[in-house]
Amino acid sequence: MKRSVSASASAGPIWVKPAPGSRKPRFSRELIAEIAIRIADREGFEALSMRRIAEELDAGTMTLYHYVRTKEDLVDLMDDALMGEVLLAHGELGRDWMASLAAIARGTYRVFARHPWALSALRGARFSPNSLRHVEQSMAAVAHAPFDVAGKLDLLGIVDDYVFGHVFRTGEVKADFADAAPSHELLAFIAEQLATGQYPHLVALREGNETPAATWTRLARLMTDERRFERGLAALLEGLRRTMRPARRSPRARQRPRA
């Protein structure tokens, strides 16, 4: 399911405001959201502004305010676009709640792994059409799980915690380990510390005559391997299946129908 959102809204969400009314508008809200996401992916969310979007579209900044009036509305549009990417195609959900929930978890993970900045930058976005569709799909995924409503919400929340935690942690590792080689000074400091004998388990991570830089790179690759996500997801779902208590059937539901 979708991460938590802010309930506050100054003038109502953009979804209740009519789009520009010309017969053939030059731009659209969807296009503006697409360009905004592209800029955030390439340059970081901090680089995003209406002026920067206007430059990308070869348009005047004031022209775009005809379509999107506030930064809050822009965030809502971007969030809706990303939630649209999360949505599964028709037919991908079935009666097997574990397989269905795994499909939603994988889809969510892959979208936010492509756009890791969105976890914090779009926090506070208001519920949108695609948000509601995603929640509906999430509830459909667990519809046949043998748990009551509270249990089904537990399933969705626990899996969400895993998915978003994995995205956040993988993003940190990539930023700190995988995307940039450690400096010579940092490697020298680590080597000096390991030589003290206080870190035997860390020393054991080295393979053969590996250089510190090679060990660093290998461990970063292992920690960001997508197969770790799959192993963890399978273990989590199996653990939930084994440990969660099925909903009790009412006495009336257990009665056999009379002939």
Side-chain angles (χ1 to χ4, degrees):
M1 285 177 65
K2 192 177 186 295
R3 62 206 179 285
S4 62
V5 296
S6 171
S8 64
S10 56
I14 193 170
W15 324 113
V16 302
K17 304 170 188 175
S22 60
R23 289 185 178 180
K24 193 175 181 180
R26 183 181 174 190
F27 304 115
S28 67
R29 291 170 171 174
E30 292 75 18
L31 176 61
I32 292 171
E34 177 186 335
I35 296 300
I37 290 170
R38 190 183 306 169
I39 293 170
D41 284 342
R42 191 171 60 225
E43 305 171 24
F45 185 80
E46 297 76 12
L48 189 62
S49 67
M50 294 301 285
R51 176 177 295 180
R52 182 68 190 84
I53 297 171
E55 290 174 357
E56 198 81 3
L57 290 170
D58 192 24
T61 303
M62 296 309 297
T63 299
L64 295 191
Y65 283 113
H66 183 58
Y67 299 85
V68 182
R69 295 185 179 275
T70 67
K71 185 69 171 287
E72 187 176 39
D73 285 344
L74 178 62
V75 165
D76 287 348
L77 289 173
M78 294 170 69
D79 188 74
D80 186 63
L82 292 187
M83 296 313 297
E85 292 183 37
V86 170
L87 292 176
L88 300 182
H90 180 72
E92 289 190 62
L93 299 178
R95 295 184 64 86
D96 185 333
W97 67 267
M98 290 179 66
S100 296
L101 192 49
I104 287 182
R106 290 188 192 102
T108 305
Y109 169 74
R110 287 167 185 161
V111 168
F112 284 93
R114 290 197 300 270
H115 314 288
W117 51 267
L119 284 181
S120 56
L122 302 185
R123 187 173 57 192
R126 293 166 290 191
F127 263 94
S128 68
N130 283 329
S131 298
L132 294 174
R133 294 183 185 105
H134 171 62
V135 174
E136 175 66 18
Q137 282 197 342
S138 298
M139 296 307 301
V142 298
H144 299 288
F147 311 114
D148 58 17
V149 172
K152 291 174 181 178
L153 292 177
D154 276 349
L155 283 178
L156 295 172
I158 291 169
V159 172
D160 263 0
D161 291 345
Y162 172 72
V163 170
F164 290 120
H166 199 286
V167 170
F168 182 80
R169 180 60 178 151
T170 300
E172 278 194 330
V173 172
K174 285 184 175 180
D176 294 341
F177 292 84
D179 292 343
S183 67
H184 174 74
E185 291 78 11
L186 177 58
L187 289 174
F189 167 76
I190 293 174
E192 180 182 337
Q193 293 300 306
L194 296 183
T196 65
Q198 298 181 55
Y199 308 97
H201 294 289
L202 296 182
V203 171
L205 293 174
R206 184 179 180 185
E207 291 186 350
N209 295 321
E210 234 177 17
T211 65
T215 302
W216 183 292
T217 301
R218 178 174 54 82
L219 295 178
R221 187 169 59 248
L222 289 174
M223 294 175 68
T224 56
D225 189 335
E226 189 170 323
R227 288 173 293 186
R228 287 182 65 241
F229 175 80
E230 287 293 336
R231 290 193 295 271
L233 179 61
L236 176 62
L237 290 174
E238 180 61 22
L240 290 171
R241 184 189 70 80
R242 288 172 178 263
T243 59
M244 289 188 64
R245 183 175 299 176
R248 292 184 178 181
R249 297 177 62 191
S250 66
R252 179 175 298 179
R254 290 197 297 268
Q255 291 178 355
R256 294 182 178 180
R258 294 182 179 178

